[in-house]
Amino acid sequence: MNDNTEAKEILSKLYTDINNNKEIDTDDYAKDLVLRSYNLLDKNYSLNYLFGRLKDDEKVVAAVKAVDGEDEYEEKINYLAKGNNFTVN
C-alpha cells in the first residue's frame, strides 16, 4: 500500500498558497502543474518523478519562492524529489 498523505498535504497547501495570491502565478501554470501532480499521486506515479518535475520547473520554483513559507516548501519538495519517501520516528 502506498501512503501519499504527506505528499498530498504539501501539494494541497502549496496549491492553496499559490491560488490565494493571484500575482504569483498570473497564467496559472504553476498552480496547474501542482494540481496535476496531486492528481497523479493516486495513479501510483513515483514521488521522485512528481516532485522532481516541480523542483526542476522554473515557473514552479519562482512561485514557491514567492509564497510565505517558501523555505519549508522548497525543503520538502527537494526531500521528496530525492526519493527519501520514508520517515523514522
Side-chain angles (χ1 to χ4, degrees):
M1 181 173 186
N2 190 3
D3 183 13
N4 295 320
T5 305
E6 180 182 12
K8 284 184 174 184
E9 182 179 326
I10 293 165
L11 293 173
S12 178
K13 286 180 180 179
L14 180 58
Y15 179 89
T16 301
D17 286 345
I18 292 172
N19 194 43
N20 285 341
N21 188 340
K22 302 296 182 194
E23 295 174 12
I24 291 175
D25 186 30
T26 55
D27 63 356
D28 290 338
Y29 175 85
K31 185 175 75 171
D32 289 344
L33 187 57
V34 170
L35 181 60
R36 283 196 309 265
S37 297
Y38 182 94
N39 290 333
L40 289 174
L41 284 171
D42 290 332
K43 297 186 184 213
N44 294 326
Y45 279 75
S46 76
L47 296 178
N48 306 60
Y49 171 73
L50 294 174
F51 282 89
R53 278 181 26 181
L54 297 176
K55 180 179 78 82
D56 294 338
D57 191 285
E58 292 177 11
K59 287 186 176 183
V60 173
V61 171
V64 167
K65 289 185 183 293
V67 299
D68 290 335
E70 60 124 328
D71 290 337
E72 178 185 348
Y73 287 127
E74 209 167 357
E75 180 182 316
K76 289 182 177 181
I77 288 171
N78 287 335
Y79 176 78
L80 291 168
K82 289 181 183 174
N84 299 321
N85 300 329
F86 61 90
T87 58
V88 177
N89 292 333

XYZ file of all heavy atoms in Angstrom:
724
model
N 0.843 -1.183 0.000
C 0.000 0.000 0.000
C 0.885 1.242 0.000
O 1.876 1.312 0.713
C -0.908 -0.016 1.209
C -1.827 1.157 1.263
S -2.990 0.934 2.623
C -4.007 2.316 2.320
N 0.502 2.219 -0.774
C 1.282 3.431 -0.922
C 0.561 4.577 -0.206
O -0.534 4.961 -0.588
C 1.441 3.743 -2.404
C 2.432 4.854 -2.648
O 3.040 5.364 -1.720
N 2.591 5.227 -3.892
N 1.174 5.125 0.849
C 0.563 6.216 1.596
C 1.211 7.527 1.180
O 2.367 7.776 1.487
C 0.724 5.985 3.094
C 0.044 7.062 3.912
O -0.750 7.835 3.341
O 0.299 7.131 5.118
N 0.452 8.329 0.488
C 0.953 9.605 -0.020
C 0.417 10.790 0.776
O 0.334 11.897 0.260
C 0.552 9.765 -1.488
C 1.211 8.745 -2.359
O 2.374 8.422 -2.169
N 0.469 8.217 -3.311
N 0.084 10.559 2.036
C -0.540 11.600 2.851
C 0.320 12.850 2.953
O -0.171 13.964 2.756
C -0.846 11.057 4.262
O -1.628 9.880 4.135
C -1.587 12.076 5.095
N 1.595 12.691 3.251
C 2.481 13.845 3.391
C 2.609 14.596 2.068
O 2.535 15.823 2.024
C 3.859 13.417 3.876
C 4.815 14.585 4.046
C 6.200 14.177 4.491
O 6.523 12.978 4.469
O 6.973 15.078 4.838
N 2.769 13.860 0.980
C 2.906 14.490 -0.332
C 1.634 15.250 -0.700
O 1.695 16.379 -1.206
C 3.222 13.441 -1.387
N 0.478 14.655 -0.437
C -0.793 15.318 -0.742
C -0.958 16.577 0.093
O -1.438 17.600 -0.395
C -1.965 14.374 -0.501
C -2.123 13.331 -1.583
C -3.350 12.502 -1.349
C -3.586 11.571 -2.514
N -4.824 10.823 -2.375
N -0.551 16.517 1.344
C -0.661 17.679 2.224
C 0.209 18.833 1.718
O -0.242 19.982 1.667
C -0.255 17.296 3.646
C -0.382 18.426 4.636
C 0.010 18.010 6.031
O -0.226 16.847 6.403
O 0.566 18.849 6.757
N 1.424 18.524 1.330
C 2.335 19.548 0.809
C 1.770 20.172 -0.458
O 1.721 21.399 -0.602
C 3.731 18.945 0.534
C 4.397 18.525 1.826
C 4.614 19.928 -0.227
C 5.586 17.608 1.624
N 1.336 19.342 -1.396
C 0.807 19.850 -2.660
C -0.475 20.649 -2.453
O -0.681 21.678 -3.097
C 0.578 18.704 -3.638
C 1.838 18.002 -4.134
C 1.475 16.778 -4.968
C 2.722 18.947 -4.923
N -1.316 20.186 -1.544
C -2.570 20.891 -1.262
C -2.302 22.277 -0.677
O -2.904 23.273 -1.107
C -3.411 20.063 -0.295
O -4.599 20.738 0.027
N -1.400 22.358 0.276
C -1.064 23.651 0.886
C -0.402 24.573 -0.133
O -0.704 25.769 -0.182
C -0.141 23.451 2.080
C -0.838 22.884 3.292
C 0.147 22.714 4.432
C -0.513 22.155 5.670
N 0.450 21.978 6.762
N 0.497 24.028 -0.938
C 1.165 24.834 -1.949
C 0.161 25.367 -2.966
O 0.182 26.546 -3.323
C 2.262 24.029 -2.648
C 3.039 24.755 -3.743
C 3.717 26.013 -3.195
C 4.078 23.817 -4.361
N -0.732 24.519 -3.425
C -1.770 24.934 -4.368
C -2.594 26.081 -3.776
O -2.853 27.089 -4.433
C -2.677 23.749 -4.719
C -3.790 24.107 -5.673
C -3.593 24.035 -7.040
C -5.027 24.529 -5.202
C -4.607 24.375 -7.927
C -6.045 24.881 -6.076
C -5.829 24.792 -7.435
O -6.836 25.138 -8.311
N -3.002 25.926 -2.517
C -3.809 26.942 -1.848
C -3.053 28.264 -1.736
O -3.609 29.335 -2.008
C -4.239 26.458 -0.452
O -4.992 25.254 -0.614
C -5.080 27.489 0.268
N -1.782 28.192 -1.344
C -0.988 29.417 -1.200
C -0.781 30.123 -2.537
O -0.844 31.351 -2.609
C 0.368 29.104 -0.556
C 0.244 28.820 0.931
O -0.808 29.129 1.521
O 1.213 28.281 1.501
N -0.540 29.358 -3.588
C -0.374 29.966 -4.912
C -1.704 30.560 -5.384
O -1.755 31.665 -5.914
C 0.153 28.940 -5.939
C 1.591 28.535 -5.599
C 0.093 29.501 -7.355
C 2.122 27.380 -6.434
N -2.779 29.851 -5.152
C -4.106 30.294 -5.587
C -4.565 31.544 -4.841
O -5.257 32.390 -5.412
C -5.115 29.168 -5.406
C -6.410 29.430 -6.131
O -6.405 29.883 -7.266
N -7.509 29.137 -5.468
N -4.184 31.673 -3.574
C -4.610 32.814 -2.771
C -3.950 34.125 -3.178
O -4.470 35.194 -2.882
C -4.352 32.557 -1.289
C -5.356 31.586 -0.712
O -6.421 31.362 -1.265
N -5.008 30.977 0.412
N -2.810 34.045 -3.835
C -2.126 35.254 -4.282
C -2.082 35.244 -5.806
O -1.213 34.615 -6.411
C -0.709 35.325 -3.704
C -0.031 36.636 -3.986
O -0.409 37.365 -4.899
N 0.994 36.929 -3.218
N -3.008 35.931 -6.412
C -3.161 35.910 -7.873
C -1.958 36.495 -8.613
O -1.761 36.241 -9.784
C -4.425 36.660 -8.289
C -5.693 36.115 -7.673
C -5.983 34.716 -8.131
C -7.280 34.224 -7.520
N -7.492 32.826 -7.640
N -1.140 37.290 -7.919
C 0.017 37.909 -8.559
C 1.197 36.950 -8.710
O 2.100 37.206 -9.498
C 0.449 39.146 -7.762
C -0.591 40.232 -7.769
C -0.231 41.388 -6.863
O 0.926 41.464 -6.402
O -1.117 42.218 -6.611
N 1.195 35.869 -7.967
C 2.310 34.915 -8.012
C 2.337 34.162 -9.336
O 3.379 33.995 -9.944
C 2.215 33.909 -6.838
C 2.494 34.619 -5.516
C 3.175 32.753 -7.030
C 2.312 33.735 -4.309
N 1.191 33.694 -9.763
C 1.101 32.794 -10.915
C 0.001 33.301 -11.847
O -1.079 32.728 -11.910
C 0.803 31.380 -10.409
C 0.831 30.325 -11.488
O 1.591 30.486 -12.465
O 0.106 29.324 -11.352
N 0.296 34.341 -12.583
C -0.736 35.003 -13.383
C -1.298 34.130 -14.505
O -2.447 34.290 -14.891
C -0.198 36.310 -13.993
O 0.984 36.023 -14.745
C 0.128 37.322 -12.902
N -0.513 33.200 -15.024
C -1.011 32.341 -16.106
C -1.475 30.967 -15.606
O -1.827 30.100 -16.403
C 0.044 32.177 -17.199
C 1.308 31.492 -16.718
O 1.424 31.203 -15.506
O 2.190 31.248 -17.557
N -1.494 30.765 -14.302
C -1.947 29.516 -13.653
C -1.104 28.303 -14.005
O -1.486 27.169 -13.733
C -3.415 29.218 -13.977
C -4.367 30.190 -13.310
O -3.969 30.804 -12.302
O -5.500 30.336 -13.807
N 0.058 28.504 -14.571
C 0.915 27.384 -14.969
C 1.365 26.573 -13.754
O 1.208 25.347 -13.715
C 2.134 27.892 -15.741
C 3.121 26.801 -16.078
C 2.946 26.033 -17.222
C 4.197 26.524 -15.252
C 3.832 25.015 -17.526
C 5.088 25.510 -15.549
C 4.901 24.761 -16.687
O 5.776 23.749 -16.985
N 1.948 27.241 -12.762
C 2.475 26.535 -11.587
C 1.343 25.869 -10.817
O 1.471 24.716 -10.386
C 3.244 27.496 -10.687
N 0.247 26.584 -10.660
C -0.903 26.033 -9.943
C -1.417 24.774 -10.640
O -1.709 23.763 -9.996
C -1.999 27.098 -9.864
C -3.191 26.696 -9.051
C -4.180 27.835 -8.919
C -4.916 28.016 -10.218
N -6.029 28.947 -10.142
N -1.520 24.807 -11.953
C -1.999 23.645 -12.706
C -1.036 22.456 -12.598
O -1.476 21.315 -12.491
C -2.225 24.003 -14.172
C -3.432 24.901 -14.374
O -4.276 25.011 -13.456
O -3.525 25.512 -15.456
N 0.271 22.730 -12.628
C 1.242 21.639 -12.505
C 1.190 21.012 -11.116
O 1.275 19.791 -10.975
C 2.655 22.126 -12.823
C 3.732 21.051 -12.904
C 3.380 19.985 -13.941
C 5.078 21.674 -13.250
N 1.000 21.835 -10.098
C 0.858 21.312 -8.735
C -0.400 20.450 -8.646
O -0.382 19.355 -8.084
C 0.831 22.463 -7.699
C 0.428 21.953 -6.317
C 2.185 23.150 -7.635
N -1.499 20.911 -9.221
C -2.752 20.154 -9.203
C -2.611 18.838 -9.973
O -3.064 17.786 -9.512
C -3.890 20.987 -9.773
C -5.273 20.319 -9.800
C -5.713 19.941 -8.392
C -6.285 21.233 -10.461
N -1.979 18.882 -11.138
C -1.767 17.645 -11.912
C -0.903 16.660 -11.124
O -1.170 15.452 -11.123
C -1.130 17.959 -13.261
C -2.113 18.507 -14.270
C -1.595 18.465 -15.692
N -0.276 19.047 -15.864
C -0.034 20.300 -16.232
N -1.025 21.121 -16.443
N 1.199 20.722 -16.391
N 0.107 17.172 -10.447
C 0.968 16.304 -9.640
C 0.163 15.663 -8.519
O 0.302 14.474 -8.233
C 2.141 17.103 -9.054
O 2.946 17.614 -10.083
N -0.692 16.441 -7.880
C -1.555 15.927 -6.811
C -2.432 14.792 -7.342
O -2.544 13.735 -6.727
C -2.413 17.062 -6.246
C -3.312 16.646 -5.112
C -2.899 16.784 -3.796
C -4.586 16.129 -5.350
C -3.720 16.412 -2.747
C -5.412 15.746 -4.311
C -4.973 15.891 -3.004
O -5.782 15.505 -1.971
N -3.052 15.014 -8.492
C -3.944 14.000 -9.071
C -3.201 12.744 -9.489
O -3.757 11.639 -9.438
C -4.710 14.590 -10.248
C -5.732 15.617 -9.807
O -6.236 15.578 -8.702
N -6.016 16.566 -10.673
N -1.948 12.883 -9.898
C -1.174 11.717 -10.334
C -0.673 10.860 -9.165
O -0.280 9.717 -9.371
C 0.009 12.164 -11.200
C -0.367 12.695 -12.576
C 0.861 13.252 -13.292
C -1.021 11.606 -13.422
N -0.722 11.388 -7.957
C -0.316 10.590 -6.797
C -1.178 9.340 -6.667
O -0.685 8.275 -6.300
C -0.419 11.417 -5.510
C 0.681 12.439 -5.286
C 0.338 13.326 -4.100
C 2.021 11.757 -5.077
N -2.468 9.465 -6.967
C -3.377 8.320 -6.860
C -3.182 7.312 -7.982
O -3.715 6.214 -7.928
C -4.833 8.799 -6.851
C -5.171 9.517 -5.560
O -4.552 9.211 -4.523
O -6.048 10.399 -5.588
N -2.428 7.679 -9.005
C -2.193 6.768 -10.126
C -0.829 6.090 -10.013
O -0.286 5.598 -10.990
C -2.315 7.527 -11.445
C -3.717 8.072 -11.629
C -3.910 8.702 -12.959
C -5.310 9.292 -12.953
N -5.959 9.286 -14.177
N -0.276 6.120 -8.806
C 0.974 5.431 -8.472
C 2.207 5.940 -9.217
O 3.138 5.188 -9.462
C 0.830 3.917 -8.645
C -0.139 3.344 -7.642
O -0.226 3.821 -6.507
N -0.887 2.337 -8.055
N 2.212 7.201 -9.588
C 3.446 7.801 -10.092
C 4.391 7.950 -8.912
O 3.957 8.184 -7.785
C 3.165 9.172 -10.712
C 2.634 9.108 -12.115
C 1.329 8.732 -12.381
C 3.441 9.435 -13.190
C 0.837 8.679 -13.669
C 2.965 9.394 -14.493
C 1.666 9.009 -14.714
O 1.193 8.958 -15.997
N 5.662 7.857 -9.157
C 6.616 7.936 -8.052
C 6.732 9.365 -7.546
O 6.611 10.334 -8.300
C 7.993 7.422 -8.482
O 8.643 8.373 -9.284
N 6.982 9.473 -6.249
C 7.188 10.782 -5.646
C 8.430 11.439 -6.231
O 8.467 12.652 -6.417
C 7.314 10.659 -4.128
C 6.068 10.153 -3.398
C 6.347 10.031 -1.909
C 4.878 11.041 -3.659
N 9.436 10.620 -6.533
C 10.668 11.146 -7.132
C 10.349 11.873 -8.437
O 10.839 12.969 -8.680
C 11.659 10.027 -7.465
C 11.964 9.154 -6.310
O 11.067 8.529 -5.770
N 13.212 9.093 -5.931
N 9.549 11.242 -9.267
C 9.197 11.816 -10.565
C 8.369 13.086 -10.396
O 8.678 14.132 -10.980
C 8.435 10.789 -11.405
C 7.849 11.373 -12.667
C 8.674 11.710 -13.741
C 6.494 11.608 -12.782
C 8.143 12.263 -14.904
C 5.954 12.162 -13.930
C 6.787 12.488 -14.990
O 6.254 13.045 -16.118
N 7.295 13.008 -9.612
C 6.377 14.134 -9.485
C 7.043 15.341 -8.829
O 6.924 16.466 -9.320
C 5.147 13.712 -8.687
C 4.264 12.660 -9.360
C 3.167 12.206 -8.420
C 3.683 13.197 -10.651
N 7.758 15.112 -7.742
C 8.396 16.238 -7.057
C 9.651 16.686 -7.797
O 10.032 17.850 -7.703
C 8.674 15.889 -5.596
C 7.435 15.990 -4.747
C 6.597 14.909 -4.602
C 7.099 17.178 -4.140
C 5.446 15.004 -3.844
C 5.947 17.297 -3.385
C 5.115 16.198 -3.231
N 10.278 15.794 -8.538
C 11.398 16.183 -9.383
C 10.960 17.139 -10.470
O 11.657 18.100 -10.799
N 9.780 16.893 -11.043
C 9.217 17.818 -12.048
C 8.995 19.192 -11.453
O 9.293 20.205 -12.077
C 7.867 17.290 -12.559
C 7.965 16.260 -13.615
C 6.626 15.785 -14.108
N 5.528 16.732 -13.955
C 4.282 16.490 -14.303
N 3.963 15.341 -14.826
N 3.347 17.381 -14.127
N 8.452 19.229 -10.251
C 8.201 20.513 -9.602
C 9.505 21.232 -9.283
O 9.636 22.432 -9.492
C 7.393 20.315 -8.322
C 5.982 19.741 -8.486
C 5.347 19.513 -7.120
C 5.116 20.648 -9.329
N 10.473 20.480 -8.791
C 11.765 21.046 -8.393
C 12.518 21.619 -9.587
O 13.202 22.630 -9.467
C 12.611 19.963 -7.722
C 13.976 20.424 -7.258
C 14.731 19.299 -6.584
C 15.320 18.324 -7.524
N 16.562 18.631 -8.129
N 12.367 20.993 -10.741
C 13.125 21.390 -11.926
C 12.411 22.420 -12.810
O 13.003 22.912 -13.763
C 13.458 20.159 -12.772
C 14.409 19.220 -12.063
O 15.129 19.675 -11.145
O 14.431 18.029 -12.420
N 11.166 22.717 -12.513
C 10.408 23.656 -13.340
C 10.623 25.084 -12.842
O 10.322 25.413 -11.702
C 8.923 23.298 -13.304
C 8.146 24.062 -14.348
O 7.919 25.275 -14.125
O 7.776 23.471 -15.373
N 11.123 25.950 -13.711
C 11.470 27.325 -13.325
C 10.259 28.125 -12.854
O 10.356 28.915 -11.909
C 12.136 28.049 -14.490
C 13.507 27.507 -14.831
C 14.138 28.189 -16.028
O 13.604 29.225 -16.486
O 15.160 27.690 -16.503
N 9.113 27.948 -13.486
C 7.925 28.700 -13.090
C 7.414 28.253 -11.720
O 6.956 29.068 -10.923
C 6.819 28.555 -14.131
C 7.084 29.331 -15.404
C 5.893 29.266 -16.330
C 6.125 30.111 -17.564
N 4.943 30.123 -18.436
N 7.499 26.963 -11.448
C 7.074 26.461 -10.146
C 8.034 26.947 -9.068
O 7.611 27.389 -8.003
C 6.964 24.920 -10.145
C 6.692 24.391 -8.741
C 5.882 24.461 -11.101
N 9.323 26.891 -9.342
C 10.319 27.366 -8.376
C 10.089 28.844 -8.069
O 10.131 29.259 -6.902
C 11.755 27.118 -8.894
C 12.780 27.809 -8.017
C 12.044 25.626 -8.972
N 9.809 29.642 -9.075
C 9.547 31.068 -8.869
C 8.289 31.273 -8.020
O 8.264 32.135 -7.133
C 9.407 31.778 -10.211
N 7.262 30.476 -8.266
C 6.024 30.584 -7.485
C 6.271 30.175 -6.035
O 5.782 30.826 -5.112
C 4.933 29.726 -8.109
N 7.043 29.112 -5.835
C 7.355 28.658 -4.479
C 8.124 29.735 -3.725
O 7.855 30.012 -2.560
C 8.146 27.328 -4.501
C 8.735 27.013 -3.139
C 7.262 26.188 -4.981
N 9.060 30.363 -4.393
C 9.850 31.422 -3.755
C 9.005 32.645 -3.395
O 9.359 33.397 -2.504
C 11.018 31.820 -4.641
C 12.095 30.765 -4.728
C 13.281 31.266 -5.524
C 14.333 30.206 -5.690
N 15.001 29.820 -4.459
N 7.877 32.825 -4.068
C 7.034 33.997 -3.841
C 6.006 33.803 -2.717
O 5.435 34.784 -2.246
C 6.307 34.366 -5.134
N 5.770 32.579 -2.277
C 4.772 32.345 -1.229
C 5.417 32.371 0.150
O 6.618 32.153 0.296
C 4.018 31.004 -1.433
C 3.271 30.978 -2.731
C 4.940 29.816 -1.312
N 4.579 32.625 1.144
C 5.057 32.555 2.523
C 5.398 31.108 2.853
O 4.728 30.190 2.406
C 3.969 33.037 3.492
C 3.728 34.530 3.385
O 4.654 35.248 2.963
O 2.618 34.971 3.727
N 6.424 30.904 3.635
C 6.834 29.554 3.996
C 7.603 28.861 2.890
O 7.660 27.640 2.842
N 8.204 29.629 1.978
C 8.882 29.051 0.821
C 10.008 28.111 1.214
O 10.236 27.126 0.542
C 9.409 30.141 -0.106
C 10.394 31.053 0.575
C 11.736 31.148 -0.102
O 12.201 30.188 -0.704
O 12.313 32.211 -0.002
N 10.693 28.386 2.320
C 11.784 27.504 2.735
C 11.264 26.109 3.058
O 11.874 25.110 2.708
C 12.524 28.078 3.950
C 13.323 29.322 3.601
O 13.664 29.503 2.414
O 13.593 30.118 4.517
N 10.113 26.070 3.725
C 9.507 24.785 4.070
C 9.106 24.015 2.812
O 9.385 22.825 2.681
C 8.280 25.009 4.956
C 7.553 23.730 5.316
C 6.273 23.993 6.085
O 6.055 25.136 6.540
O 5.485 23.050 6.205
N 8.467 24.701 1.872
C 8.067 24.037 0.621
C 9.285 23.551 -0.153
O 9.310 22.419 -0.642
C 7.253 24.984 -0.270
C 5.855 25.243 0.217
C 5.398 26.536 0.384
C 4.981 24.203 0.493
C 4.110 26.797 0.813
C 3.698 24.445 0.931
C 3.266 25.735 1.087
O 1.988 25.983 1.515
N 10.259 24.412 -0.270
C 11.456 24.057 -1.033
C 12.149 22.838 -0.420
O 12.550 21.919 -1.128
C 12.406 25.264 -1.064
C 13.260 25.315 -2.278
C 13.946 26.665 -2.432
O 13.728 27.583 -1.631
O 14.722 26.768 -3.389
N 12.250 22.833 0.895
C 12.890 21.716 1.596
C 12.124 20.416 1.385
O 12.710 19.378 1.085
C 12.957 22.042 3.092
C 13.588 20.963 3.932
C 13.574 21.340 5.413
O 13.878 22.493 5.745
O 13.250 20.445 6.222
N 10.815 20.460 1.504
C 10.007 19.247 1.349
C 9.984 18.758 -0.094
O 10.012 17.552 -0.339
C 8.595 19.485 1.879
C 8.568 19.593 3.389
C 7.188 19.790 3.929
C 7.224 19.822 5.440
N 5.907 19.986 6.026
N 9.919 19.683 -1.046
C 9.943 19.282 -2.455
C 11.273 18.613 -2.780
O 11.311 17.553 -3.407
C 9.675 20.499 -3.372
C 8.207 20.906 -3.274
C 10.044 20.182 -4.823
C 7.881 22.217 -3.955
N 12.370 19.204 -2.338
C 13.688 18.609 -2.571
C 13.810 17.258 -1.891
O 14.369 16.313 -2.457
C 14.795 19.542 -2.090
C 14.972 20.736 -2.992
O 14.648 20.697 -4.175
N 15.459 21.831 -2.431
N 13.289 17.140 -0.690
C 13.346 15.890 0.070
C 12.612 14.773 -0.673
O 13.139 13.676 -0.846
C 12.726 16.129 1.448
C 12.620 14.915 2.314
C 13.731 14.418 2.987
C 11.405 14.261 2.478
C 13.628 13.304 3.796
C 11.300 13.143 3.281
C 12.404 12.674 3.947
O 12.307 11.563 4.737
N 11.405 15.060 -1.123
C 10.619 14.036 -1.806
C 11.129 13.768 -3.217
O 10.983 12.656 -3.737
C 9.142 14.426 -1.825
C 8.477 14.379 -0.446
C 7.123 15.061 -0.482
C 8.346 12.950 0.034
N 11.742 14.734 -3.841
C 12.297 14.534 -5.186
C 13.508 13.613 -5.158
O 13.791 12.924 -6.138
C 12.688 15.874 -5.798
N 14.210 13.582 -4.035
C 15.406 12.733 -3.923
C 15.077 11.276 -3.640
O 15.949 10.430 -3.680
C 16.316 13.257 -2.809
C 16.987 14.548 -3.158
C 17.881 14.984 -2.026
C 18.514 16.318 -2.331
N 19.273 16.825 -1.181
N 13.835 11.001 -3.310
C 13.457 9.617 -3.077
C 13.493 9.203 -1.634
O 13.424 8.032 -1.320
N 13.565 10.147 -0.732
C 13.514 9.830 0.691
C 12.056 9.739 1.100
O 11.511 10.633 1.704
C 14.229 10.911 1.508
C 15.667 11.004 1.122
O 16.312 10.008 0.879
N 16.190 12.219 1.059
N 11.433 8.633 0.746
C 9.992 8.506 0.892
C 9.571 7.803 2.169
O 8.531 7.193 2.244
C 9.431 7.744 -0.310
C 9.709 8.449 -1.594
O 9.773 9.671 -1.629
N 9.888 7.712 -2.661
N 10.383 7.902 3.182
C 10.030 7.289 4.452
C 10.582 8.164 5.566
O 11.459 8.978 5.369
C 10.592 5.879 4.555
C 12.095 5.847 4.473
C 12.879 5.949 5.613
C 12.732 5.719 3.233
C 14.270 5.926 5.518
C 14.111 5.697 3.143
C 14.875 5.797 4.291
N 9.997 7.984 6.756
C 10.492 8.712 7.916
C 10.731 7.722 9.037
O 10.120 6.662 9.098
C 9.491 9.776 8.403
O 8.249 9.134 8.720
C 9.269 10.843 7.359
N 11.612 8.073 9.916
C 11.896 7.246 11.085
C 11.472 8.039 12.301
O 11.896 9.167 12.500
C 13.396 6.896 11.170
C 13.681 6.095 12.422
C 13.830 6.173 9.925
N 10.609 7.446 13.097
C 10.137 8.130 14.322
C 10.930 7.669 15.505
O 11.325 6.599 15.668
C 8.655 7.860 14.559
C 7.810 8.526 13.499
O 8.209 9.531 12.937
N 6.644 7.975 13.256
